[in-house]
Amino acid sequence: MEVVFINNVAKEISATDKTKIKPTYLILGSGSFGFALAKELRELEKDLIIVDKDSQKVETLRDEAYEAIVGDVSDPTLLDRINTKNLAGILILSSDPQANKAALENVRKKVSRDVYCVARAPDVINMQEMETMGADLVIMPPRMVAKSLSRSLERAEAMRRGNKLTQWFEANKGRKLAIVVHDNPDPDAISSALALKTIAASFNVLADIIYQGEIGHQENKAFVNLLDIDLYRAEDVGFTGYENLALVDCSVPGANNSLPLETRVNIIIDHHPIPDAEIDAEFIDIRPNVGASSTIVTKYLQELNVDIDSKLATALLYGIRTDTMDFKRNTDSADLSAASYLYPLSDHDILDQLERPSMSIETLDVLGEAINNRQVTGSYLLSNVGSVRDRDTLPQAADYLLNLEGISTSLVFGVSEDKIFLSGRSNDIRVNLGDVMKRAFGEDAGGGHANAAAAQIELGLFSSAKDRQTLLRLVNEAVVKRFLGAVGVEEADE
């Protein structure tokens, strides 16, 4: 005979008693994990009943005013003692995976599919088996603890970084800040710099965004014009009028940015892989796992409670989308979280306009040259487009060529007056394109992510070529040989 406390009234029931217990949540197994969950549910004022085969443990639970019964979770007759019509959820949480699977099988035979069923598994193999058996959710407690701890550490680290950035701005009120982005900046670099400028303004720090090169890509031009973003060329303003310097979306002075080498930088915020060069600044936040620098600064805006207007939200959301290729490349959960936060704050009419810019004649010409001059070796496609004025046309061509059937990696390159510019794209999980660029063209010349990378090579000895056609031929031979060598392919198909 057992005693069950229902609504604080003790009732004796025998094995043949027709009385049905009516809980909202049924917990099968009251080990440390099951009991911890029961405490949480009771604090939420949920009705529940606990089943455990240990009679002493059941008595202890009853002493603490829990409704509990003695029973084996794998017993096929167990559910006959409970009115399952009122169940919102069944939680199978014993430490015995075989008993849990037997309980799960019993639940799916006797209980409505509308009842949410959670099962505990010790490993991935059992988790997959329980999912196949019909569990709505399968949990592994060690993994849950690890994830929870990881999230807590991330929040603590974010708070520490936010506090450190606050302290830096507090100590530098009244001093002008130059926010330097990489050469020929893209929407991610520009929007990240705009966010840092907004944060600076909240601390009464005057900041300007400075770049070198051209904003050549049609979408980038439309981005700056539609959002009316103020940018200054390095050659026009210089750096002597600024007491502090920040690098955004790049991390090494002089490496694809307008700062002189060895310049002392105060702030560095970037999401690109950490280079081999030594990085030194008062405040450094480099997160290679994140898909966009815009994601990083969005988190700072949230942490520091800085108002985000529609213009800034639109810029940041577009920066995240473009650098992650609409969340299909190098995307982290932080990117999705930031985008979700920015989405309702953004101007979607402007976003629509940004996604449908007109194509320039030069872009069309380069795309045509890239198609006509393609050289294919296996799944690698390389194309020399000849002379280029706008380097932003190269990644557009590389993106387009990657869509061709049988192509997993594309490399498009062209020559300006003094440099060779290369842009690559890959969807081959065996290829880390950033590493390939470094091996092929040097640590200082190339780099990027696993599936999107670029390189710049000084013409050097090539510039002594007798004519332009000879130069382009020599460049083509050298680039193709180095790239294919770096990926382990000897020569291109004829």
Side-chain angles (χ1 to χ4, degrees), residues 362-394:
E362 183 177 3
T363 300
L364 188 61
D365 288 343
V366 168
L367 184 56
E369 290 292 333
I371 295 171
N372 290 331
N373 299 335
R374 67 190 184 278
Q375 306 166 62
V376 178
T377 298
S379 63
Y380 298 99
L381 184 153
L382 297 89
S383 186
N384 179 3
V385 299
S387 299
V388 291
R389 294 191 305 275
D390 181 5
R391 57 181 280 188
D392 280 331
T393 59
L394 301 179

Side-chain angles (χ1 to χ4, degrees), residues 75-380:
D75 181 359
T77 67
L78 176 65
L79 294 177
D80 296 336
R81 301 162 60 188
I82 301 167
N83 187 342
T84 60
K85 291 182 179 179
N86 293 334
L87 288 178
I90 298 177
L91 302 102
I92 307 170
L93 304 177
S94 87
S95 58
D96 182 346
Q98 297 307 316
N100 288 351
K101 281 187 273 190
L104 177 59
E105 184 177 12
N106 190 33
V107 165
R108 282 311 176 212
K109 285 180 180 178
K110 297 187 175 183
V111 180
S112 168
R113 285 276 174 176
D114 293 335
V115 177
Y116 195 74
C117 183
V118 178
R120 173 182 176 177
D123 51 44
V124 174
I125 294 176
N126 278 280
M127 179 181 73
Q128 293 172 342
E129 187 175 349
M130 290 179 183
E131 287 174 342
T132 303
M133 293 174 66
D136 295 299
L137 174 66
V138 182
I139 58 173
M140 292 187 289
R143 180 178 289 186
M144 291 179 65
V145 172
K147 285 185 176 180
S148 178
L149 179 57
S150 175
R151 286 193 295 268
S152 296
L153 291 173
E154 284 183 355
R155 286 194 294 270
E157 187 175 349
M159 289 180 63
R160 182 186 63 82
R161 285 169 169 163
N163 291 335
K164 189 173 180 180
L165 188 60
T166 296
Q167 291 168 8
W168 188 91
F169 276 115
E170 289 284 1
N172 287 276
K173 286 184 177 180
R175 299 178 182 177
K176 289 191 68 176
L177 172 67
I179 303 173
V180 183
V181 295
H182 59 69
D183 294 348
N184 312 293
D186 59 10
D188 183 39
I190 297 169
S191 59
S192 301
L194 182 62
L196 186 59
K197 180 179 178 179
T198 302
I199 293 171
S202 72
F203 289 93
N204 297 316
V205 172
L206 183 63
D208 293 324
I209 304 171
I210 299 176
Y211 75 102
Q212 182 172 274
E214 299 292 334
I215 301 176
H217 195 300
Q218 290 72 40
E219 291 183 9
N220 298 353
K221 288 178 179 177
F223 174 77
V224 172
N225 292 334
L226 285 171
L227 293 172
D228 193 25
I229 301 173
D230 292 327
L231 303 171
Y232 298 93
R233 293 179 179 273
E235 54 265 37
D236 294 335
V237 297
F239 301 105
T240 57
Y242 299 93
E243 290 92 344
N244 292 310
L245 298 170
L247 275 175
V248 173
D249 209 33
C250 53
S251 57
V252 179
N256 194 29
N257 60 72
S258 56
L259 286 179
L261 292 171
E262 309 301 328
T263 301
R264 171 65 177 171
V265 178
N266 305 92
I267 296 174
I268 295 174
I269 297 175
D270 191 16
H271 76 108
H272 294 97
I274 300 173
D276 293 332
E278 184 177 344
I279 298 174
D280 184 28
E282 296 169 39
F283 180 87
I284 299 174
D285 189 355
I286 300 177
R287 308 186 205 179
N289 62 302
V290 173
S293 293
S294 298
T295 296
I296 299 173
V297 291
T298 297
K299 296 300 181 182
Y300 282 123
L301 290 164
Q302 293 176 277
E303 287 287 335
L304 302 178
N305 293 317
V306 177
D307 288 337
I308 304 178
D309 61 19
S310 176
K311 169 182 169 180
L312 179 57
T314 305
L316 289 168
L317 179 58
Y318 189 68
I320 296 171
R321 288 176 55 177
T322 54
D323 244 42
T324 61
M325 287 186 65
D326 274 332
F327 313 105
K328 295 191 290 285
R329 178 181 72 194
N330 302 322
T331 304
D332 184 80
S333 60
D335 300 303
L336 300 173
S337 175
S340 176
Y341 177 76
L342 295 166
Y343 185 84
L345 304 175
S346 301
D347 187 325
H348 295 277
D349 289 336
I350 291 180
L351 286 172
D352 287 342
Q353 293 179 66
L354 290 172
E355 290 170 353
R356 293 192 297 270
S358 59
M359 179 178 287
S360 70
I361 297 298
E362 183 177 3
T363 300
L364 188 61
D365 288 343
V366 168
L367 184 56
E369 290 292 333
I371 295 171
N372 290 331
N373 299 335
R374 67 190 184 278
Q375 306 166 62
V376 178
T377 298
S379 63
Y380 298 99

Side-chain angles (χ1 to χ4, degrees), residues 10-82:
K11 292 185 178 180
E12 292 186 353
I13 57 174
S14 67
T16 58
D17 199 326
K18 302 299 183 180
T19 302
K20 298 288 187 176
I21 303 168
K22 300 179 180 180
T24 302
Y25 288 93
L26 176 62
I27 298 178
L28 303 182
S30 66
S32 58
F33 188 72
F35 181 62
L37 181 60
K39 289 177 66 177
E40 291 291 329
L41 289 173
R42 187 158 74 171
E43 287 182 7
L44 294 173
E45 299 183 351
K46 302 294 184 183
D47 291 332
L48 58 100
I49 188 168
I50 304 171
V51 177
D52 198 279
K53 63 182 180 181
D54 187 332
S55 58
Q56 288 187 334
K57 188 178 292 184
V58 168
E59 287 298 328
T60 301
L61 288 168
R62 290 172 180 169
D63 289 342
E64 296 186 24
Y66 284 96
E67 296 175 6
I69 62 173
V70 177
D72 185 339
V73 301
S74 62
D75 181 359
T77 67
L78 176 65
L79 294 177
D80 296 336
R81 301 162 60 188
I82 301 167

